[in-house]
PDB file of all heavy atoms in Angstrom:
ATOM      1  N   LYS A  82     -10.447   6.005   8.755  1.00  0.00           N
ATOM      2  CA  LYS A  82     -10.696   5.283  10.023  1.00  0.00           C
ATOM      3  C   LYS A  82     -10.989   6.260  11.195  1.00  0.00           C
ATOM      4  O   LYS A  82     -11.860   5.942  12.020  1.00  0.00           O
ATOM      5  CB  LYS A  82      -9.541   4.320  10.369  1.00  0.00           C
ATOM      6  CG  LYS A  82      -9.498   3.130   9.435  1.00  0.00           C
ATOM      7  CD  LYS A  82      -8.353   2.237   9.751  1.00  0.00           C
ATOM      8  CE  LYS A  82      -8.354   1.031   8.776  1.00  0.00           C
ATOM      9  NZ  LYS A  82      -7.323   0.068   9.126  1.00  0.00           N
ATOM     10  N   GLY A  86     -14.518   6.606  13.299  1.00  0.00           N
ATOM     11  CA  GLY A  86     -14.598   6.662  14.747  1.00  0.00           C
ATOM     12  C   GLY A  86     -15.376   7.900  15.208  1.00  0.00           C
ATOM     13  O   GLY A  86     -16.154   7.850  16.155  1.00  0.00           O
ATOM     14  N   VAL A  88     -17.719   9.405  13.523  1.00  0.00           N
ATOM     15  CA  VAL A  88     -19.149   9.184  13.251  1.00  0.00           C
ATOM     16  C   VAL A  88     -19.757   8.261  14.263  1.00  0.00           C
ATOM     17  O   VAL A  88     -20.893   8.528  14.750  1.00  0.00           O
ATOM     18  CB  VAL A  88     -19.313   8.608  11.773  1.00  0.00           C
ATOM     19  CG1 VAL A  88     -20.733   8.169  11.530  1.00  0.00           C
ATOM     20  CG2 VAL A  88     -18.896   9.646  10.744  1.00  0.00           C
ATOM     21  N   VAL A  95     -25.810  11.101  20.139  1.00  0.00           N
ATOM     22  CA  VAL A  95     -27.271  11.161  19.935  1.00  0.00           C
ATOM     23  C   VAL A  95     -27.948  10.269  20.909  1.00  0.00           C
ATOM     24  O   VAL A  95     -28.967  10.607  21.559  1.00  0.00           O
ATOM     25  CB  VAL A  95     -27.613  10.873  18.475  1.00  0.00           C
ATOM     26  CG1 VAL A  95     -29.093  10.708  18.267  1.00  0.00           C
ATOM     27  CG2 VAL A  95     -27.015  11.894  17.564  1.00  0.00           C
ATOM     28  N   ARG A  99     -27.000  14.040  24.082  1.00  0.00           N
ATOM     29  CA  ARG A  99     -26.106  15.183  24.319  1.00  0.00           C
ATOM     30  C   ARG A  99     -26.640  16.455  23.708  1.00  0.00           C
ATOM     31  O   ARG A  99     -27.504  16.462  22.865  1.00  0.00           O
ATOM     32  CB  ARG A  99     -24.688  14.886  23.741  1.00  0.00           C
ATOM     33  CG  ARG A  99     -23.948  13.648  24.354  1.00  0.00           C
ATOM     34  CD  ARG A  99     -23.231  14.025  25.629  1.00  0.00           C
ATOM     35  NE  ARG A  99     -22.228  15.024  25.406  1.00  0.00           N
ATOM     36  CZ  ARG A  99     -20.964  14.772  25.034  1.00  0.00           C
ATOM     37  NH1 ARG A  99     -20.563  13.529  24.801  1.00  0.00           N
ATOM     38  NH2 ARG A  99     -20.132  15.754  24.871  1.00  0.00           N
ATOM     39  N   HIS A 106     -21.267  20.434  16.321  1.00  0.00           N
ATOM     40  CA  HIS A 106     -19.845  20.729  16.220  1.00  0.00           C
ATOM     41  C   HIS A 106     -19.076  19.514  15.687  1.00  0.00           C
ATOM     42  O   HIS A 106     -18.176  19.594  14.836  1.00  0.00           O
ATOM     43  CB  HIS A 106     -19.244  21.184  17.547  1.00  0.00           C
ATOM     44  CG  HIS A 106     -19.543  22.623  17.834  1.00  0.00           C
ATOM     45  ND1 HIS A 106     -18.724  23.661  17.521  1.00  0.00           N
ATOM     46  CD2 HIS A 106     -20.591  23.178  18.433  1.00  0.00           C
ATOM     47  CE1 HIS A 106     -19.246  24.813  17.924  1.00  0.00           C
ATOM     48  NE2 HIS A 106     -20.404  24.511  18.462  1.00  0.00           N
ATOM     49  N   ASP A 133      -1.777  10.847 -16.708  1.00  0.00           N
ATOM     50  CA  ASP A 133      -1.579   9.725 -17.591  1.00  0.00           C
ATOM     51  C   ASP A 133      -2.334   9.792 -18.858  1.00  0.00           C
ATOM     52  O   ASP A 133      -1.841   9.522 -19.932  1.00  0.00           O
ATOM     53  CB  ASP A 133      -1.853   8.377 -16.874  1.00  0.00           C
ATOM     54  CG  ASP A 133      -0.858   8.003 -15.803  1.00  0.00           C
ATOM     55  OD1 ASP A 133       0.233   8.681 -15.724  1.00  0.00           O
ATOM     56  OD2 ASP A 133      -1.122   7.060 -15.016  1.00  0.00           O
ATOM     57  N   ILE A 135      -3.427  12.521 -20.308  1.00  0.00           N
ATOM     58  CA  ILE A 135      -2.837  13.624 -21.117  1.00  0.00           C
ATOM     59  C   ILE A 135      -1.556  13.079 -21.784  1.00  0.00           C
ATOM     60  O   ILE A 135      -1.375  13.292 -23.011  1.00  0.00           O
ATOM     61  CB  ILE A 135      -2.528  14.841 -20.271  1.00  0.00           C
ATOM     62  CG1 ILE A 135      -3.846  15.458 -19.800  1.00  0.00           C
ATOM     63  CG2 ILE A 135      -1.694  15.897 -20.996  1.00  0.00           C
ATOM     64  CD1 ILE A 135      -3.679  16.547 -18.719  1.00  0.00           C
ATOM     65  N   LEU A 153     -18.175  15.505 -11.720  1.00  0.00           N
ATOM     66  CA  LEU A 153     -17.931  15.580 -10.225  1.00  0.00           C
ATOM     67  C   LEU A 153     -18.241  17.014  -9.781  1.00  0.00           C
ATOM     68  O   LEU A 153     -18.917  17.242  -8.824  1.00  0.00           O
ATOM     69  CB  LEU A 153     -16.489  15.203  -9.921  1.00  0.00           C
ATOM     70  CG  LEU A 153     -16.119  15.346  -8.454  1.00  0.00           C
ATOM     71  CD1 LEU A 153     -16.891  14.331  -7.578  1.00  0.00           C
ATOM     72  CD2 LEU A 153     -14.643  15.139  -8.279  1.00  0.00           C
ATOM     73  N   VAL A 157     -21.127  18.616  -7.110  1.00  0.00           N
ATOM     74  CA  VAL A 157     -20.775  19.412  -5.959  1.00  0.00           C
ATOM     75  C   VAL A 157     -21.671  20.639  -5.893  1.00  0.00           C
ATOM     76  O   VAL A 157     -22.032  21.083  -4.833  1.00  0.00           O
ATOM     77  CB  VAL A 157     -19.248  19.766  -5.978  1.00  0.00           C
ATOM     78  CG1 VAL A 157     -18.968  20.856  -4.949  1.00  0.00           C
ATOM     79  CG2 VAL A 157     -18.451  18.555  -5.788  1.00  0.00           C
TER      80      VAL A 157
END
Side-chain angles (χ1 to χ4, degrees):
K82 287 181 180 181
V88 171
V95 172
R99 297 276 300 273
H106 281 268
D133 288 349
I135 292 168
L153 177 67
V157 169

